[in-house]
Amino acid sequence: MQILKNLFQVSGDLNGLTFDQPGALWNDGNAYVLKTPQGLILFDCGCGETIEQLFDNMRYWGLAPEEIQYCLLTHAHLDHAGGAHILKKRGVKIMAVAETAEAIATGDERCCGYLYHKTFQPVMVDQVLVDKQRRNLLGIEIEVMHLPGHSMGCTAYLFTWEQKRVVISGDVIGTLLSGDFGWSGSIDFDKKIYTASLRRFAKIETDIMLPGHGMVYFHKPRRRVEEVLNAALMQWR
């Protein structure tokens, strides 16, 4: 799906874009591609078993998988980062904050392979990102916002595209189809830290929010973040 000019969603089983098995709704997270004049930036990469579907979706829009230069991970869970080892072998530079980098380097329980009855294939990141960092990738300034809680490595990425402030939020915000929060069963899930992250995130104005599952938020996404913060304050204190 094209979200804005040259910004696409290319995976996500909740939307029916990809699937690893019939009826699965949470096995494959949303992945997004930003096409720049210098190449492609991928945000998350799905579970791995759907990588050819992801590539086929790209090709439909004239996006060559061979032109992916970077993959930025929102967190270590298999449904978002399981395909990273495949991209790495293709020469794509994998980027993530330290907590995510450490988890995917070992493929341990923080990657939640057990949830999907699969084995996470370990992979080393090429560059470790840090909170509040601004990285210029292929001519695009991308801001890193570390928002732990759903997992300790949860990260949002913000950039301006087509005069709109875009945030790729991963699983920090739950889809409207199923709850307010990202899944709470992760080994490193933490309600107190999660609430603090939501307080910080609720102060950020954006125009479009691209979540880790389900539907894109095209209208005042900050309102949705505030709703989720309100739910956390009521339920978790």
Side-chain angles (χ1 to χ4, degrees), residues 117-129:
H117 313 292
K118 299 176 182 179
T119 299
F120 188 97
Q121 296 298 316
V123 59
M124 298 292 294
V125 306
D126 295 279
Q127 296 182 34
V128 175
L129 303 171

Side-chain angles (χ1 to χ4, degrees), residues 30 77 146 149 170-171 225 231:
N30 294 355
H77 290 172
H146 186 202
D171 286 354
V225 180

Side-chain angles (χ1 to χ4, degrees), residues 50-186:
T50 61
I51 198 74
E52 288 301 325
Q53 297 172 46
L54 185 156
F55 289 162
D56 284 343
N57 290 337
M58 290 177 59
R59 294 184 185 104
Y60 176 84
W61 290 102
L63 306 170
E66 296 75 22
E67 295 182 7
I68 302 172
Q69 297 194 35
Y70 298 96
C71 179
L72 281 64
L73 300 177
T74 63
H75 60 300
H77 290 172
L78 184 142
D79 55 326
H80 296 267
H85 69 103
I86 301 171
L87 295 172
K88 174 90 170 184
K89 291 174 183 176
R90 295 172 64 96
V92 177
K93 291 182 171 60
I94 309 300
M95 305 176 73
V97 298
E99 291 82 353
T100 294
E102 292 166 4
I104 66 172
T106 65
D108 65 21
E109 288 177 315
R110 291 172 292 178
C111 300
C112 300
Y114 61 87
L115 180 63
Y116 307 98
H117 313 292
K118 299 176 182 179
T119 299
F120 188 97
Q121 296 298 316
V123 59
M124 298 292 294
V125 306
D126 295 279
Q127 296 182 34
V128 175
L129 303 171
V130 297
D131 184 41
K132 300 180 181 179
Q133 184 177 16
R134 294 177 183 268
R135 288 297 309 270
N136 189 298
L137 300 178
L138 307 183
I140 307 300
E141 185 178 82
I142 299 174
E143 180 182 349
V144 179
M145 178 175 280
H146 186 202
L147 297 169
H150 167 68
S151 77
M152 286 300 102
C154 273
T155 308
Y157 299 101
L158 300 100
F159 55 91
T160 299
W161 191 253
E162 290 288 308
Q163 292 79 52
K164 295 185 182 295
R165 191 65 171 157
V166 178
V167 59
I168 293 175
S169 57
D171 286 354
V172 176
I173 303 298
T175 171
L176 285 169
L177 298 177
S178 181
D180 294 314
F181 317 111
W183 173 65
S184 61
S186 183

Side-chain angles (χ1 to χ4, degrees), residues 201-235:
F201 195 19
K203 295 179 174 67
I204 304 300
E205 287 286 0
T206 57
D207 298 302
I208 298 177
M209 181 164 63
L210 310 185
H213 295 272
M215 301 177 294
V216 173
Y217 297 86
F218 285 101
H219 181 67
K220 297 182 178 180
R222 182 178 174 182
R223 293 175 64 92
R224 174 61 176 153
V225 180
E226 291 172 337
E227 291 170 355
V228 175
L229 171 60
N230 183 52
L233 293 171
M234 289 191 298
Q235 295 178 36

